[in-house]
Amino acid sequence: MNYKNRSIEKTLEKMIGVYPVIAITGPRQVGKTTLLEFFKKNSEQKIHYVTLDDFLWRTQANEDPELFLRNHETPLIIDEFQYAPNLLSYLKMNVDEMRNQYMFDNNAKRSTMYYLTGSQVFSTMKYLSDSLAGRIAILDLYGFSFREILGLEETEFIPDISILRKKEKAGRLSIPDLFEHILNGSYPELYSNTSIQREIFYQSYVKTYIERDVREFIKIKDENKFYKFLCALAARSGCEFNSSDIANDIEIDSKTVNEWLSILVNTHLIYLLNSYSNNQVQKVIKRPKVYFMDTGLACFLAGYFTSETLEKSPFSGNIFETYVITEIIKSYTNNGIDPHHRLYYYRDKNKKEIDLIILHDKILYPIEIKKSANPGKEAFKNFNVCEKFGYTVGSGIVLCMAKEIVEVSQNNYLVPIEYI
């Protein structure tokens, strides 16, 4: 199996030596460990490795953190660190000792001591951020983006037309090929090992996720209902999250729905896109929209197994939007940028909706997402609501299946999804 370079490598390189601790979080099997093993192999330093999937090391890390760290030299990769939150205060002490050396010894070389990988479990991440504030860089890693698969440079998606016209366009996909790509999803294993059957991979993935990650953090009395919850949420990818609606479907209470949702968010399986609002915007819908971060997993859970069936289904529009939104999210996280402060959607009680709003450098860009090759002027009809938001309004674009960038009206453009 050949290693495929990740866009986030450049971001990681910039942080090495600047931060004493670097954490890479993300779902299972997206390549977190593989990424650090690549750096380990190519580093001029000798980097050590330990995984807390190993029960003996996990036990020692929790019961005697000081001894655990003495047993492992730095720089050290600690894989699946969320299994030993007790380690964090001891990491802080070691980091602070090293920082004192920098302060009093001008010849001391700054370096990164610890590389952590794991799922973003809320309690652990909050403690991580609090206890290592100013000492840690946290990067989120997801599955492959389309640009990573093609080996192209990936920058954060900024809808400024002057920027997009200079950007290298990714390889064009036909509608059948696009939906086959959507159905495959983004997990590296499916691209590195072509003998794996897609359905079997996702079946095993869900089973492992429920048996390991979910059981680790919450007690589920009825695993069948949790699986039904996953399926119900997958079928709503690209929709506003309504806990009561899902609760009624699978016969559980809304409190349980929200508890289970938080697990999916904090283990990176789904992303919640917040609605845009400020003091100048009235009567907005404040429910977030929910997106599965892997379209292949969403399709599997929603019951779609062939690209032909998927393309012709009522789900095709939502999964197309999910694909576009997640590609944009990855373009930000791969460049070390938190998308939560840049990406929003808009919907008000007058039923005016904008699929995506990107706020960049005090400029607001409205975006619609359409599966069509020629959506027409109707797709731009709600962009004028942005004029009341208090920001300069930039290019309005419709991301679609058009062949080239086309100006439809003043400052409004059709943009092929290959420019993401």
Side-chain angles (χ1 to χ4, degrees):
M1 182 178 74
N2 294 325
Y3 175 78
K4 183 176 284 292
N5 289 96
R6 306 302 301 266
S7 300
I8 206 169
E9 288 171 22
K10 291 182 180 178
T11 307
L12 180 57
E13 285 174 352
K14 291 176 184 176
M15 295 178 173
I16 292 175
V18 177
Y19 292 92
V21 183
I22 297 173
I24 300 177
T25 68
R28 284 191 174 275
Q29 297 186 39
V30 294
K32 301 183 297 293
T33 304
T34 303
L35 172 67
L36 288 182
E37 285 180 342
F38 172 77
F39 269 89
K40 178 177 181 290
K41 183 177 180 181
N42 291 279
S43 174
E44 294 179 357
Q45 285 183 299
K46 183 178 181 181
I47 301 177
H48 305 271
Y49 173 87
V50 62
T51 177
L52 298 187
D53 270 334
D54 184 312
F55 184 74
L56 292 177
W57 285 127
R58 186 194 304 190
T59 301
Q60 187 179 91
N62 279 303
E63 295 181 356
D64 195 342
E66 187 174 8
L67 177 61
F68 172 85
L69 292 177
R70 284 188 178 183
N71 276 326
H72 300 284
E73 296 180 44
T74 60
L76 173 66
I77 297 170
I78 305 176
D79 205 4
E80 302 294 354
F81 78 92
Q82 76 274 5
Y83 291 129
N86 292 340
L87 269 179
L88 298 178
S89 58
Y90 290 86
L91 293 183
K92 178 180 181 295
M93 287 188 286
N94 287 359
V95 165
D96 287 348
E97 183 179 342
M98 182 189 70
R99 294 177 101 185
N100 286 335
Q101 291 178 5
Y102 297 155
M103 188 177 298
F104 299 109
D105 183 356
N106 292 331
N107 294 319
K109 185 178 179 181
R110 292 181 179 272
S111 63
T112 295
M113 297 177 66
Y114 300 105
Y115 300 86
L116 314 178
T117 78
S119 301
Q120 190 183 45
V121 183
F122 178 76
S123 58
T124 304
M125 290 303 297
K126 186 177 186 304
Y127 187 32
L128 182 69
S129 300
D130 291 347
S131 61
L132 293 172
R135 303 166 179 86
I136 186 168
I138 301 174
L139 298 176
D140 294 333
L141 183 67
Y142 295 102
F144 286 145
S145 67
F146 188 51
R147 286 186 173 267
E148 284 181 310
I149 292 170
L150 297 179
L152 299 178
E153 181 184 8
E154 185 171 31
T155 56
E156 70 268 28
F157 180 73
I158 302 170
D160 186 303
I161 290 298
S162 63
I163 294 174
L164 293 179
R165 289 192 190 279
K166 297 174 184 176
K167 191 172 185 177
E168 183 178 5
K169 186 180 178 183
R172 182 167 175 78
L173 291 174
S174 65
I175 285 285
D177 287 342
L178 173 64
F179 276 89
E180 184 66 24
H181 175 64
I182 286 172
L183 202 64
N184 277 335
S186 61
Y187 287 104
E189 184 70 16
L190 288 168
Y191 292 88
S192 62
N193 187 351
T194 55
S195 64
I196 292 180
Q197 293 184 36
R198 183 168 59 206
E199 188 175 343
I200 292 175
F201 171 83
Y202 282 113
Q203 186 176 347
S204 300
Y205 188 92
V206 172
K207 186 175 185 292
T208 301
Y209 177 73
I210 292 175
E211 290 183 352
R212 296 188 66 179
D213 290 348
V214 176
R215 282 182 186 171
E216 186 76 24
F217 306 117
I218 58 174
K219 293 181 179 179
I220 296 178
K221 296 179 181 178
D222 190 338
E223 289 186 359
N224 287 330
K225 283 199 173 180
F226 186 83
Y227 180 74
K228 288 180 180 178
F229 166 73
L230 286 174
C231 295
L233 201 61
R236 291 165 172 80
S237 187
C239 299
E240 290 174 24
F241 176 70
N242 187 322
S243 60
S244 298
D245 183 36
I246 296 175
N248 291 334
D249 266 11
I250 56 178
E251 299 179 341
I252 58 175
D253 57 70
S254 292
K255 181 181 177 183
T256 301
V257 168
N258 288 318
E259 179 185 359
W260 288 356
L261 176 75
S262 69
I263 293 296
L264 299 187
V265 171
N266 290 310
T267 52
H268 280 79
L269 280 197
I270 68 164
Y271 181 94
L272 295 181
L273 182 68
N274 291 321
S275 65
Y276 180 80
S277 64
N278 63 27
N279 293 333
Q280 295 172 278
V281 183
Q282 304 296 322
K283 299 181 179 179
V284 296
I285 303 296
K286 294 189 176 180
R287 288 193 296 264
K289 291 179 77 171
V290 60
Y291 293 95
F292 264 71
M293 283 304 299
D294 184 82
T295 55
L297 179 60
C299 290
F300 170 79
L301 290 167
Y304 294 98
F305 305 106
T306 68
S307 56
E308 294 83 5
T309 304
L310 178 62
E311 181 194 341
K312 295 173 183 176
S313 73
F315 190 51
S316 64
N318 278 0
I319 199 64
F320 179 81
E321 180 179 324
T322 298
Y323 170 71
V324 170
I325 292 288
T326 55
E327 286 290 296
I328 292 173
I329 290 169
K330 291 173 192 175
S331 81
Y332 280 84
T333 56
N334 285 341
N335 283 280
I337 300 169
D338 185 352
H340 290 92
H341 303 301
R342 302 285 188 93
L343 309 182
Y344 306 89
Y345 86 99
Y346 176 83
R347 183 166 177 251
D348 60 30
K349 294 180 181 178
N350 296 321
K351 297 185 178 179
K352 287 192 173 184
E353 183 174 355
I354 299 173
D355 289 335
L356 181 64
I357 289 174
I358 295 183
L359 188 58
H360 173 75
D361 198 22
K362 301 295 183 181
I363 300 175
L364 189 147
Y365 298 92
I367 301 170
E368 279 291 301
I369 300 167
K370 301 293 182 185
K371 193 175 64 170
S372 167
N374 186 16
K377 292 184 179 180
E378 184 73 6
F380 301 89
K381 66 180 180 180
N382 292 330
F383 287 180
N384 60 355
V385 301
C386 297
E387 295 171 2
K388 62 184 180 182
F389 292 174
Y391 286 101
T392 300
V393 179
S395 314
I397 70 171
V398 175
L399 285 167
C400 60
M401 296 301 294
K403 289 184 178 180
E404 300 294 341
I405 296 174
V406 178
E407 186 171 11
V408 176
S409 58
Q410 186 176 4
N411 210 29
N412 288 323
Y413 301 83
L414 300 181
V415 175
I417 61 170
E418 291 84 2
Y419 281 97
I420 297 173

